[in-house]
Amino acid sequence: EDKVVQSPLSLVVHEGDTVTLNCSYEVTNFRSLLWYKQEKKAPTFLFMLTSSGIEKKSGRLSSILDKKELFSILNITATQTGDSAVYLCAVMTTDSWGRLQFGAGTQVVVTP
Amino acid sequence: DAGVIQSPRHEVTEMGQEVTLRCKPISGHDYLFWYRQTMMRGLELLIYFNNNVPIDDSGMPEDRFSAKMPNASFSTLKIQPSEPRDSAVYFCASSSDLPRINEQFFGPGTRLTVL
């Protein structure tokens, strides 16, 4: 059975701290891994990762994929209160084009 | 540009009633997805369409759920009869064909409460 596991489930940090979120997966025929940010409403797309070792970066957020060890990390540097959200990881396989399997998410709370 | 549009935003109904959720995808997107999100089960894919044709409905929980996409700009998710365990937030998402198939854009969701 395919699995997507995120850790930690939640964390609280102070503004300015750096946060590292983990997503590990066990799926057959892996195609890509995606990160989404969900505030109080709909998830919004952050990154899509397909190749190992290539860092994707957007402002203070960055992510990298390790296809050998089957995990990805999402880093947020110099955190701000606006980074408070649930961060979701999802995996797509080649077996079902378009089907995303989501992890449970990591809730991040950034305090002033 | 308008994003994915869903209606209603909130729905409260009584057990046994029929519920219809509506979605208008982003214009030009070929893929449409219906998700359900609960605290217990997280975000789950129910069904998705490509060019108005259902491709994978393995996530539809049971026969009480049905989805249609009569044209490229409209889809419905129907629950009949509804049960309290159907209470959840239902999201519709759309994406374009290659190369951005993986980048799904989510609507604001419909919060369904079945009493």
Side-chain angles (χ1 to χ4, degrees), chain B residues 66-86:
Chain B
S66 62
K68 294 182 180 179
M69 192 165 185
N71 58 63
S73 59
F74 184 67
S75 176
T76 60
L77 178 68
K78 187 175 292 186
I79 309 172
Q80 166 64 23
S82 58
E83 297 182 2
R85 59 191 168 123
D86 302 329

Side-chain angles (χ1 to χ4, degrees), chain A residues 25-95:
Chain A
Y25 60 91
E26 291 180 29
V27 301
T28 53
N29 301 319
F30 171 87
R31 178 176 180 85
S32 57
L33 185 145
L34 291 84
W35 285 97
Y36 285 83
K37 177 183 181 182
Q38 186 174 22
E39 296 172 86
K40 291 192 184 296
K41 38 189 179 179
T44 54
F45 172 78
L46 293 175
F47 298 112
M48 182 178 73
L49 303 156
T50 306
S51 302
S52 268
I54 299 175
E55 184 182 55
K56 292 283 185 88
K57 197 169 172 66
S58 176
R60 296 175 294 103
L61 277 67
S62 64
S63 183
I64 197 161
L65 174 69
D66 187 329
K67 290 170 73 174
K68 182 179 177 185
E69 300 297 331
L70 308 182
F71 77 93
S72 173
I73 60 172
L74 175 69
N75 279 320
I76 310 173
T77 59
T79 52
Q80 302 171 357
T81 55
D83 296 325
S84 296
V86 174
Y87 291 83
L88 296 165
C89 165
V91 171
M92 182 181 291
T93 69
T94 57
D95 296 340

Side-chain angles (χ1 to χ4, degrees), chain A residues 32 34 42 48 92 97 99, chain B residues 33 37 48 56 58 102 104 107:
Chain A
S32 57
L34 291 84
M48 182 178 73
M92 182 181 291
W97 191 266
R99 170 174 281 278
Chain B
F33 307 82
Q37 187 172 39
Y48 80 90
D56 183 348
S58 59
N102 292 352
Q104 298 180 17

